[in-house]
């Protein structure tokens, strides 16, 4: 069965939209790109949208009355509207453009956390959190005296929800939860955890970096208070991310950074702030990147998020099954018959992940090796590093077969 037959997607036509997929490694080996959890490739429509900005109306936004500035301002503001529609937010007031998911998480930790946490409060994170969540909230907890608690991960790669119910009490002000684990592939019950948080008058922040690119996301249906994701993981440009925040929360929060663009009025003695979302976008914002991100949302919606999710689930399941068949491979995360994000992390007996990644590169296969910015999770798994293969809308089962052939090459070399 072909990917086209399985998910109603013409994968070969899709691949033609991504110029980089036609390149070779060392001028002879075809590229097989399986590092999409780190960064996806960029399709022609997104490249065209950004080129059009630079070719036709490159100017700063919100600062000029001339034609180029007005055109750029309209496109940049409408990009906020487009991303609001993409994730089910109410309007642009709930969409802040940031540099990436990391900056979005820092914005919540710094702007909301420093104003609302104290020695009598607590924040709940998880053992599977990305460092982009763990580090900002740990630092803010040190500054404010707040307690940090962690929901453990069980032996199947799931959050211990019984322990979560014990950890979340009336002292807790916020939960930060990865929607999809970037190491395990676990799809966490974000809506259920939002209910748990709200039962105790706490807020919930969803890390959507691995979810938004690959599945339909509706922040209102999930009932999250904040939600963060990156452009470069959803066929968009680097240098831009999104923080969704409930309008009332964003309005009540102090700014994260200060300077031009985020002010209403400045005197020598002080300043007042612009309306949301602009009060959180200090300085010249990522204009071309925002326009490119809106084009990426258009592109993904043209394919259909349900079809994208189905295709990636099929390729991921195939990879998981083939890897699990090998006695020399240990896959981490949920078992093969459960829903997971579009990635598989594993170890190969006798071959360090860094060595394996290097050998795979020689066969044209690009994967990620290391701790994937989840060192505490790897400590809990009792492994120093894993190899991660991650898939996107343009990947095929034939590329998974090439990955497996590369494992054989590595085993032969190390044996």
């Amino acid at each position: 069965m072909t990917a086209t037959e399985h998910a109603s997607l013409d994968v070969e036509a899709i691949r033609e939209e991504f110029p980089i997929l036609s390149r070779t490694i060392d001028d002879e080996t075809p590229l097989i790109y399986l590092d999409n959890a780190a960064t996806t490739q960029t399709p022609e429509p997104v490249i065209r949208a950004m080129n059009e900005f630079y070719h036709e109306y490159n100017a700063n936004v919100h600062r000029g009355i001339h034609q180029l500035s007005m055109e750029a301002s309209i496109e940049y503001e409408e990009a906020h509207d487009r991303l609001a529609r993409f994730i089910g937010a109410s309007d642009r007031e709930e969409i802040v453009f940031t540099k990436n998911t990391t900056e979005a998480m820092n914005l919540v930790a710094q702007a909301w956390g420093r104003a609302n946490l104290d020695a009598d409060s607590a924040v709940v994170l998880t053992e599977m959190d990305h460092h982009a969540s763990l580090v900002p909230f740990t630092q803010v907890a040190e500054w404010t005296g707040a307690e940090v608690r962690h929901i453990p991960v069980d032996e199947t790669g799931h959050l211990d929800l019984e322990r979560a119910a014990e950890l979340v009490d009336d002292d807790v002000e916020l939960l930060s939860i990865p929607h999809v684990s970037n190491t395990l592939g676990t799809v966490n019950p974000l809506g259920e955890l939002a209910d748990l948080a709200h039962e105790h008058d706490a807020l919930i922040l969803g890390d959507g970096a691995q979810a938004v690119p690959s599945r339909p996301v509706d922040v209102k249906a999930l009932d999250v208070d904040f939600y963060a994701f990156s452009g470069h993981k959803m066929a968009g440009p680097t240098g831009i991310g999104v923080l969704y925040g409930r309008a009332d929360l964003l309005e009540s929060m102090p700014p994260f950074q200060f300077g031009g663009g985020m002010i209403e009025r400045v005197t020598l003695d002080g300043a007042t702030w612009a309306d949301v979302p602009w009060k959180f976008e200090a300085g010249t914002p990522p204009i071309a990147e925002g326009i490119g991100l809106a084009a990426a949302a258009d592109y993904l919606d043209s394919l259909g998020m349900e079809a994208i999710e189905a295709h990636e689930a099929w390729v991921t399941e195939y990879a998981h099954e083939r890897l699990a068949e090998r006695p020399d491979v240990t896959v981490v995360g949920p078992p093969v018959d459960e829903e997971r994000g579009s990635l598989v992390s594993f170890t190969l007996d006798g071959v360090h992940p860094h060595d394996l990644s290097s050998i795979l590169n020689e066969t044209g296969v690009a994967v990620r090796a290391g701790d994937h910015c989840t060192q505490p999770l790897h400590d809990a798994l009792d492994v120093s590093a894993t190899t991660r293969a991650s898939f996107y809308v343009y990947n095929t089962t034939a590329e998974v077969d090439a990955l497996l052939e590369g494992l054989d090459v590595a085993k032969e070399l190390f044996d």
Side-chain angles (χ1 to χ4, degrees):
M1 184 180 292
T2 67
T4 300
E5 292 169 339
H6 180 269
S8 301
L9 290 177
D10 187 343
V11 176
E12 290 307 314
I14 289 171
R15 290 178 65 85
E16 291 294 323
E17 293 276 16
F18 291 81
I20 202 168
L21 298 181
S22 64
R23 73 157 290 179
T24 57
I25 304 300
D26 296 331
D27 296 326
E28 57 183 28
T29 306
L31 169 67
I32 296 175
Y33 187 78
L34 304 181
D35 192 20
N36 296 284
T39 293
T40 56
Q41 297 303 332
T42 311
E44 287 283 9
V46 175
I47 296 170
R48 285 197 299 269
M50 296 179 70
N51 282 343
E52 182 180 348
F53 166 75
Y54 284 119
H55 284 189
E56 298 185 14
Y57 56 101
N58 178 19
N60 217 322
V61 296
H62 303 156
R63 304 182 187 215
I65 303 176
H66 59 79
Q67 184 68 25
L68 297 187
S69 180
M70 289 189 289
E71 290 178 7
S73 297
I74 290 170
E75 292 293 329
Y76 182 69
E77 292 177 9
E78 289 183 349
H80 288 71
D81 298 332
R82 183 65 187 90
L83 270 297
R85 295 194 301 273
F86 190 68
I87 62 168
S90 296
D91 54 42
R92 70 174 62 163
E93 292 181 351
E94 297 185 323
I95 300 295
V96 179
F97 282 170
T98 61
K99 187 166 57 181
N100 43 41
T101 304
T102 298
E103 185 172 83
M105 304 293 272
N106 272 273
L107 195 162
V108 177
Q110 298 270 0
W112 177 87
R114 297 187 77 164
N116 290 277
L117 297 176
D118 56 35
D120 296 322
S121 59
V123 173
V124 175
L125 311 176
T126 81
E127 276 188 334
M128 67 172 67
D129 272 39
H130 192 281
H131 296 167
S133 176
L134 286 170
V135 178
F137 283 105
T138 300
Q139 292 301 305
V140 169
E142 288 187 7
W143 298 330
T144 61
E147 178 187 2
V148 179
R149 305 171 184 174
H150 301 92
I151 303 171
V153 176
D154 65 23
E155 64 278 1
T156 67
H158 297 90
L159 293 177
D160 184 339
L161 296 182
E162 290 186 2
R163 182 66 180 134
E166 297 171 353
L167 291 171
V168 180
D169 58 25
D170 290 343
D171 292 334
V172 172
E173 297 291 339
L174 180 132
L175 281 69
S176 180
I177 306 291
H179 195 170
V180 176
S181 167
N182 74 309
T183 297
L184 302 173
T186 309
V187 181
N188 290 314
L190 199 56
E192 180 180 343
L193 289 163
D195 290 341
L196 175 63
H198 295 154
E199 287 172 9
H200 294 275
D201 294 326
L203 305 179
I204 186 165
L205 162 61
D207 174 356
Q210 300 299 330
V212 169
S214 301
R215 60 187 59 233
V217 169
D218 185 326
V219 293
K220 297 300 186 184
L222 290 169
D223 199 19
V224 290
D225 303 291
F226 299 106
Y227 196 87
F229 58 100
S230 292
H232 67 98
K233 298 181 190 291
M234 53 173 285
T238 58
I240 187 165
V242 173
L243 174 67
Y244 158 79
R246 281 184 12 224
D248 61 308
L249 290 173
L250 293 179
E251 287 169 359
S252 68
M253 289 160 50
F256 169 51
Q257 296 174 322
F258 302 89
M262 50 74 63
I263 52 87
E264 178 184 55
R265 168 82 175 142
V266 174
T267 68
L268 293 178
D269 299 318
T272 57
W273 317 129
D275 294 334
V276 292
W278 319 121
K279 78 171 180 178
F280 296 110
E281 297 186 15
T284 296
I287 306 167
E289 291 81 1
I291 291 166
L293 184 55
D298 286 341
Y299 179 76
L300 296 181
D301 273 343
S302 73
L303 299 179
M305 293 307 300
E306 292 83 1
I308 292 172
E309 180 181 18
H311 171 72
E312 292 180 27
W314 179 57
V315 176
T316 304
E317 182 178 357
Y318 179 80
H320 195 327
E321 288 177 345
R322 292 294 308 278
L323 288 165
E325 290 170 356
R326 298 180 61 123
D328 57 353
V329 167
T330 300
V331 177
V332 300
V336 68
D337 59 345
E338 290 193 18
E339 179 189 22
R340 63 160 51 223
S342 51
L343 60 93
V344 183
S345 297
F346 62 93
T347 57
L348 179 65
D349 292 348
V351 185
H352 191 279
H354 291 159
D355 294 323
L356 177 57
S357 178
S358 179
I359 294 166
L360 288 172
N361 179 64
E362 294 178 5
T363 70
V365 178
V367 296
R368 178 59 58 95
D371 57 43
H372 318 305
C373 292
T374 56
Q375 290 179 7
L377 175 60
H378 278 75
D379 290 342
L381 296 172
D382 197 25
V383 292
S384 61
T386 54
T387 301
R388 183 183 68 192
S390 49
F391 314 102
Y392 206 45
V393 65
Y394 39 68
N395 290 125
T396 67
T397 54
E399 293 179 314
V400 175
D401 292 337
L403 166 68
L404 294 161
E405 291 170 6
L407 301 191
D408 292 333
V409 172
K411 289 293 289 187
E412 183 176 352
L413 283 171
F414 276 80
D415 286 344

